[in-house]
């Protein structure tokens, strides 16, 4: 496909229903969370209070076609949050009940859609600096861990832990890795912690046993480096979903929205 | 004194050099941190990444007389960040070296001053709702604890713990307490956690032994409620201060700047 608009149209026509990894490199991809209005204020507060773990890019304004600061993310008006992701997860009371190629039927006037930053962009920047993450080199999924660090509570969101992604680096490379990822302020930015003492501070007891993604051996001359991870808001929904009346809709992990923006720092 | 402008002039003339608790109720008071430019970007990132613990209100723009969004905080141009606090702490390499009534001599063109929100405002709101914090009722200082929850790292700021303030409430009052303090978004907002399980999540082992402030007995029908605390950025400076070249200046705790604003939510 030639550009993000054409790609979104292929998703809308349900021609592309696969993951978006490697699709249109250089364009920003976004995570999705669609919530009933009753939970939307709490979620927006959660993002405002925890911007590193929950980097809110924008939200729908009444219609599924219009975003706050629309032009920053989508060129023109050919946009539909209910169809432009390749695949959707439908949740009821925090439980996954269905996967669908669109959520036209599930979306209601009572829903607000939130787009959330994702870390694909900074992996690319690390690669270009010659610091390709090991998971990218191996073609495996990044290791992700549920921590004992909790988000600052907001409204219905309470006792929701940070999820972190881990990439091993040599100690002498950490300063550069931090500098390279720092500008990606809307996609988790620089690492939140690092080192084996950092793992301890985050309450991670076994670095070989990730809660999500693939296991990755840390070499003897490497230490773990931890970034806040986009799974955090999803786990937050799983944690408090039983308190939410009405359907919650997310993208199917890996099946992101491709934006027209190349940079949302 | 009749209004904040007059009060600031009294501070400038070194007539008022005492704490500001109870001074001009209803007006917002602010914490201070003046940093050399080399540390300023890191600190601004720290605030952006940890807005609940480090609620940045504004900063100086080149001159000690001009703030970003000046008119939101100060009416007119009668303002000097070097003199308008009643008392200043001067730090070198993270250590307190002097207390002074002004910092005219220490301030240089290489310094940037940051104003940070403080929680006096929400205590007043709780009082007005009939939920006066126990420390206010008793006239003691609030209990503050250094936690095992760390700020998301930013630049030179690494391994800096959250400091929390604790106020005991009855479990049935917690929802109202949360709702009342939630709108104070620039002054720590709603509690970050609560309950005895919350104390455990924050790594607080003895609720009777605060790290700062006075001890307060939690009655049998009460649980602890924890807010992020303005001591957090001060402790961050103490933690990484050895890496900062040049003088760091803060207000002397309790000796705040009184703004013309009545609300900075």
């Amino acid at each position: 496909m030639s550009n993000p608009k054409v790609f979104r149209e292929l998703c809308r026509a349900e021609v592309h229903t696969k993951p978006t990894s490697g699709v249109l490199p250089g364009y920003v991809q976004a995570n999705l969370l669609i919530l009933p209005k009753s939970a939307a204020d709490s979620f927006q507060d959660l993002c405002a209070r925890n911007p590193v773990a929950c980097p809110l890019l924008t939200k729908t304004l009444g219609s599924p076609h219009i975003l706050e600061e629309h032009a920053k993310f989508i060129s023109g008006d050919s946009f539909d949050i209910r169809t432009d992701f390749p695949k959707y997860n439908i949740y009821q009371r925090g439980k996954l009940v269905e996967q669908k190629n669109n959520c036209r039927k599930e979306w209601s006037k009572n829903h607000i859609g939130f787009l959330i930053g994702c870390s694909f962009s900074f992996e690319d920047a690390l690669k270009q600096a010659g610091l390709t993450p090991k998971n990218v080199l191996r073609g495996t999924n990044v290791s992700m861990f549920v921590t004992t660090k909790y988000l600052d509570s907001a409204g219905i969101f309470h006792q929701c832990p940070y999820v972190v992604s881990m990439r091993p680096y040599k100690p002498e490379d950490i300063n550069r890795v931090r500098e390279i990822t720092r500008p990606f302020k809307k996609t988790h930015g620089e690492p939140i912690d690092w080192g084996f003492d950092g793992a301890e501070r985050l309450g991670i007891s076994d670095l070989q046993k990730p809660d999500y993604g693939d296991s990755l051996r840390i070499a003897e001359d490497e230490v773990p480096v931890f970034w806040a991870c986009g799974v955090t808001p999803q786990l937050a929904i799983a944690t408090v979903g039983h308190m939410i009346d009405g359907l919650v809709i997310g993208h199917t992990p890996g099946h992101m929205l491709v934006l027209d923006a190349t940079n949302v720092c």
Side-chain angles (χ1 to χ4, degrees), chain A:
Chain A
M1 71 290 322
S2 55
N3 66 49
K5 179 170 179 284
V6 171
F7 179 73
R8 290 194 301 270
E9 283 164 358
L10 288 175
C11 294
R12 204 174 306 158
E14 302 187 13
V15 173
H16 186 106
T17 59
K18 297 236 170 82
T20 52
S21 174
V23 166
L24 290 164
Y27 289 98
V28 176
Q29 300 196 7
N31 298 300
L32 174 69
L33 203 55
I34 296 174
L35 291 169
K37 274 182 188 156
S38 61
D41 281 352
S42 286
F43 184 69
Q44 205 161 333
D45 279 353
L46 187 76
C47 294
R49 284 164 69 82
N50 303 277
V52 176
C54 308
L56 183 59
L57 297 178
T58 183
K59 60 171 184 173
T60 56
L61 290 177
S63 141
H65 306 286
I66 301 166
L67 299 169
E68 206 169 69
E69 298 186 274
H70 192 90
K72 203 171 146 187
F73 305 100
I74 301 283
S75 305
D77 55 4
S78 171
F79 173 69
D80 191 333
I81 205 166
R82 304 166 305 176
T83 58
D84 292 3
F85 287 74
K87 209 179 276 275
Y88 296 81
N89 280 3
I90 317 295
Y91 300 92
Q92 202 159 28
R93 299 260 154 203
K95 302 269 177 230
L96 178 67
V97 291
E98 205 175 351
Q99 290 194 320
K100 305 188 66 175
N101 295 333
N102 73 71
C103 62
R104 274 199 198 90
K105 222 181 65 185
E106 289 75 13
W107 171 275
S108 75
K109 271 192 273 184
N110 193 36
H111 276 114
I112 297 179
F114 295 93
L115 297 184
I116 301 154
C118 111
S119 55
F120 282 9
S121 332
F122 78 60
E123 285 202 337
D124 207 49
L126 286 167
K127 205 170 153 182
Q128 281 171 33
L131 291 163
T132 309
K134 226 175 190 176
N135 55 294
V136 176
L137 280 175
R138 306 247 165 120
T140 59
N141 199 348
V142 72
S143 297
M144 290 166 276
F145 299 87
V146 178
T147 72
T148 56
K149 176 174 180 167
Y150 291 83
L151 299 176
D152 289 342
S153 296
I156 60 168
F157 294 95
H158 179 45
Q159 296 189 42
C160 297
Y162 270 67
V163 180
V164 295
S165 61
M166 186 281 287
R167 295 165 186 82
Y169 279 100
K170 296 195 170 115
E172 60 268 32
D173 288 334
I174 289 180
N175 270 344
R176 273 182 68 220
V177 164
R178 296 184 69 205
E179 276 162 24
I180 291 162
T181 55
R182 186 168 299 142
F184 292 86
K185 295 188 197 294
K186 282 290 192 181
T187 55
H188 308 302
E190 63 187 285
I192 63 166
D193 212 333
W194 55 90
F196 294 101
D197 56 328
E200 233 170 85
R201 281 188 287 275
L202 293 168
I204 299 170
S205 51
D206 190 343
L207 285 159
Q208 297 308 309
K209 290 191 181 151
D211 295 291
Y212 310 103
D214 296 316
S215 182
L216 196 60
R217 209 179 67 80
I218 299 171
E220 276 199 9
D221 60 347
E222 293 173 338
V223 299
V225 181
F226 302 102
W227 279 265
C229 171
V231 175
T232 307
Q234 288 186 40
L235 185 58
I237 292 296
T239 306
V240 306
H242 61 280
M243 290 192 291
I244 301 177
D245 278 325
L247 293 176
V248 172
I249 305 158
H251 66 292
T252 301
H255 298 65
M256 325 290 256
L257 176 71
V258 182
L259 301 174
D260 293 307
T262 53
N263 189 331
V264 289
C265 289

